[in-house]
Amino acid sequence: MSQPKKRKLEPGVDGEGGEGAQEENGGEQETVLPRSRKTKKERDQQYYECYSDVSVHEEMIADRVRTDAYRLAILRNWSALRGKTVLDVGAGTGILSIFCAQAGARRVYAVEASAIWQQAREVVRLNGLEDRVQVLHGPVETVELPEQVDVIVSEWMGYGLLHESMLSSVLQARTKWLKEGGLLLPASADLFVAPISDQMLELRLGFWSQVKQNYGVDMSCLEGFATRCLMGRSEIVVESLSGEDILARPQRFAQLDLARAGLEQELEAGVGGRFRFSCYGSAPMHGFAIWFQVTFPGGDSEKPLVLSTSPFHPVTHWKQALLYLNEPVHVEQDTDISGEITLLPSQVDHRHLRIQLRYKVGDQEEKTKDFAMEEYLTVSA
């Protein structure tokens, strides 16, 4: 699940995001004033309230890549669902729960912590499934089920895969409610990274040098200011790229098996890995993009089904998570790019994603930069 985000590109202090972001000057730490502290209960309540608005659910269900993948994955696993019990973690408006009932599930427990649970109950009633789909209001960590379940389904993925930290809730539900040998939908996730040349960003950076040609006023001096505004911040930017923006062969840097013991502890400590790229050709490098894919078991006779958010695949509402350098770096064919990336929970709010990046481009010195996701944002109705 991912809430719609607005891209904020106003001028601001580097390091916005409250994480004490590192500058690209060899790792000097910048002091950032901390936000007001909220209790975990208050932060969780704020998170749940974001899903009480219809616009969030409209965007997710309208994402045909996402919704069709879940529907097909559930139907392909009909033999594992037929006559069985299912837990839907973060059920939202209930569409995945209904898919499970349509695939033959005997009982589906649709657990939803936000106020949208009331609309989910109406959707279940409208589809005549009250006898098989039970909507339960509350966090899955505290809701009590009358029995253990055979299957857990959840659309838990956030921007950059781990923003919102909903996977932890799924893992707790797995430990508490899933029968031994039970089915997880999806079953695994993979994270990818690649260096990028963002063509839209390049146009915006070059805009100020074109003003004189159009209006007779030289404003090229603003190009450096524009670079600081658009690239100098430490915000994780959520935008769609195309395959043409990718500068080298993408690399997988982390793989999460949802059935793996100890995965919760791994998420707390940070998941990531090292990378090394050789550039395709000459271009301005603006930073890195990360994206993910999740894999569903294929059922009795089908190969596994993959839901991908890659820029080489049809766009999804997750888009890609972009990590901009402070300024463009020119690369040539075979320029070597290496480093390490780590995704971990924010120290301010465990539901917010933080990314630590260490990298080296060609003969330049190694640099570091920390990134943080913005506060929860919703689309205005």
Side-chain angles (χ1 to χ4, degrees), residues 290-308:
I290 63 171
W291 63 87
F292 65 87
Q293 67 181 34
V294 295
T295 302
F296 299 86
D300 291 338
S301 59
E302 300 281 353
K303 65 180 182 180
L305 186 148
V306 175
L307 166 56
S308 174

Side-chain angles (χ1 to χ4, degrees), residues 158-201:
Y159 297 116
L161 185 66
L162 298 179
H163 185 55
E164 300 178 29
S165 193
M166 189 176 163
L167 178 54
S168 297
S169 297
V170 175
L171 297 177
Q172 290 184 50
R174 176 204 68 185
T175 300
K176 186 175 183 180
W177 296 115
L178 187 63
K179 295 177 182 178
E180 186 175 354
L183 182 65
L184 287 158
L185 297 173
S188 64
D190 300 278
L191 279 157
F192 299 86
V193 64
I196 61 169
S197 182
D198 187 334
Q199 297 179 48
M200 291 303 298
L201 176 62

Side-chain angles (χ1 to χ4, degrees), residues 171 174-175 184 256-267:
L171 297 177
R174 176 204 68 185
T175 300
L184 287 158
L256 309 180
D257 179 353
L258 271 60
R260 186 165 71 226
L263 183 55
E264 285 182 85
Q265 291 72 31
E266 293 178 35
L267 295 174

Side-chain angles (χ1 to χ4, degrees), residues 78 95 252 264 334 338:
W78 68 270
I95 191 168
R252 183 175 69 182
E264 285 182 85
D334 299 328
S338 60

